[in-house]
Amino acid sequence: MKAPRALKDIIFYHYDPSLAAAIVFSVAYSLAFIGTLLQFMRYRSWVWTIMVVSSAMEAGGYIARCFSGQDPTSQTKYTVQLLLIVLAPVCMAAACYIVFGRIIYHVVPKKARTFKLLWMPPRIITPIFVAGDVIALLLQTVGAVKITSVDLNAPDAKKQTNKGKTIAEIGVAVQLVFFGLFSIIAMRFNFTSRRFKHDFEQRITTSDEKYVEIDGQPKKLKRNWQAILLITNLASVCILVRSVYRMIDFHMGREGYLATHEWTLYIFDSLVIFPAIALFIWWHPSKYLPYMGFRLPKHAR
């Protein structure tokens, strides 16, 4: 009978992790985090804290992966890098929900904020999707922790791993349902929002070549609010593609093709998610939206 291996002898990767790839994405996401943080501080866009946290998680995840790949028998290092990389895009989804909600209040007149426009009352569109995101985050956290904390020498290791995989799959499924619906609503708004262009132009009180003032408010904004809507849609597509990848990854399990071939992680997660952060650095929401505090002022609701 084969003796069980000690935990320190168990390798948590089914391939030889690439240190070079981990370093490249560590640097890329660290620069993205710095850019996000600087813009956050420059514009004091407090509601954008969630994107600062998300970019920090991505950077931390790939830095942790550099160390984990060099010490593949360390369960702690493996768990840290996995959790950060898996959960960061879930937080990014919340950032997209928040920005879209602020776009609605910025562009759509009060009388036009109807159920028909968005398939749900506009005042609950951000809370309901963020609530779904929190549920998805918790389920994926529990599932990922359960998967990585299984004692592979235990007789019920496979059962426990499958249990964790099922919980994580449910978490990703919840995210896909909520985020899929959100993506449809947000993309549809590209077309339905055209009817508000004239009303928006009428609210401009001061303008120059680059910036305008809306409703007499002193903050100067870029006129082309459609740009931030487009960026939100593009980020949503990136997160959606990555979520589908993670769903398949969890379903196939630790012995599946995706879990045993490292290139799939870097193509369908690392590379796909990076634009969701980088695009918002250049097209920062505060350049287009007047209120990026934690709460909207009463007159803007």
Side-chain angles (χ1 to χ4, degrees):
M1 180 178 178
K2 187 176 180 180
R5 293 178 296 173
L7 183 62
K8 64 182 178 61
D9 296 325
I10 296 173
I11 297 176
F12 290 92
Y13 296 94
H14 294 281
Y15 46 75
D16 184 16
S18 171
L19 177 60
I23 290 174
V24 167
F25 281 99
S26 295
V27 172
Y29 277 107
S30 293
L31 291 174
F33 164 66
I34 292 171
T36 302
L37 180 62
L38 290 176
Q39 293 287 61
F40 168 78
M41 295 171 66
R42 176 186 177 186
Y43 292 108
R44 298 182 181 181
S45 47
W46 310 126
V47 78
W48 205 234
T49 302
I50 189 67
M51 185 58 88
V52 177
V53 172
S54 300
S55 57
M57 289 173 68
E58 288 285 4
Y62 287 101
I63 291 171
R65 190 175 177 85
C66 291
F67 293 98
S68 176
Q70 299 306 296
D71 186 13
T73 61
S74 171
Q75 186 177 34
T76 300
K77 292 176 184 177
Y78 177 79
T79 301
V80 168
Q81 63 86 31
L82 179 66
L83 282 176
L84 291 174
I85 293 172
V86 166
L87 300 179
V90 185
C91 297
M92 287 178 209
C96 290
Y97 300 148
I98 291 168
V99 171
F100 183 69
R102 297 302 167 94
I103 293 172
I104 297 300
Y105 281 101
H106 179 51
V107 174
V108 182
K110 288 185 180 181
K111 61 183 179 181
R113 296 172 194 165
T114 62
F115 185 94
K116 183 179 179 181
L117 177 67
L118 299 167
W119 299 341
M120 63 180 65
R123 68 180 180 278
I124 70 167
I125 193 165
T126 298
I128 197 168
F129 283 120
V130 169
D133 210 48
V134 170
I135 294 171
L137 178 68
L138 292 174
L139 287 171
Q140 289 182 58
T141 301
V142 171
V145 168
K146 200 162 189 65
I147 291 171
T148 56
S149 62
V150 170
D151 181 358
L152 299 180
N153 290 319
D156 64 341
K158 186 174 181 180
K159 179 182 177 180
Q160 292 300 318
T161 299
N162 287 336
K163 187 175 180 180
K165 184 182 74 169
T166 300
I167 295 172
E169 279 183 34
I170 294 172
V172 178
V174 170
Q175 184 185 358
L176 278 172
V177 169
F178 277 88
F179 203 73
L181 177 59
F182 166 76
S183 298
I184 293 171
I185 292 173
M187 290 180 185
R188 177 175 173 269
F189 188 70
N190 280 280
F191 303 98
T192 57
S193 62
R194 292 174 184 175
R195 74 183 77 161
F196 308 120
K197 184 176 181 181
H198 177 72
D199 289 333
F200 183 80
E201 294 293 328
Q202 294 298 311
R203 293 165 52 206
I204 296 175
T205 53
T206 307
S207 66
D208 56 32
E209 291 183 3
K210 287 187 176 181
Y211 299 97
V212 299
E213 290 181 5
I214 306 292
D215 298 330
Q217 298 297 316
K219 182 178 180 180
K220 292 185 179 294
L221 304 169
K222 289 197 171 184
R223 181 193 297 263
N224 185 23
W225 58 266
Q226 292 92 339
I228 193 63
L229 176 61
L230 176 61
I231 296 305
T232 303
N233 284 328
L234 290 175
S236 299
V237 170
C238 291
I239 296 169
L240 202 57
V241 170
R242 176 264 174 199
S243 298
V244 171
Y245 159 73
R246 279 297 173 187
M247 184 68 167
I248 298 172
D249 179 33
F250 283 130
H251 181 72
M252 295 179 72
R254 295 172 65 97
E255 305 295 330
Y257 183 87
L258 298 184
T260 56
H261 292 78
E262 188 178 25
W263 70 267
T264 61
L265 166 71
Y266 288 112
I267 295 297
F268 296 112
D269 196 320
S270 316
L271 199 60
V272 168
I273 282 297
F274 185 75
I277 301 174
L279 289 172
F280 278 119
I281 297 174
W282 183 260
W283 287 277
H284 195 275
S286 287
K287 294 181 180 180
Y288 303 88
L289 304 173
Y291 307 111
M292 289 296 288
F294 286 117
R295 289 180 62 85
L296 279 170
K298 287 185 178 180
H299 70 268
R301 298 178 196 171

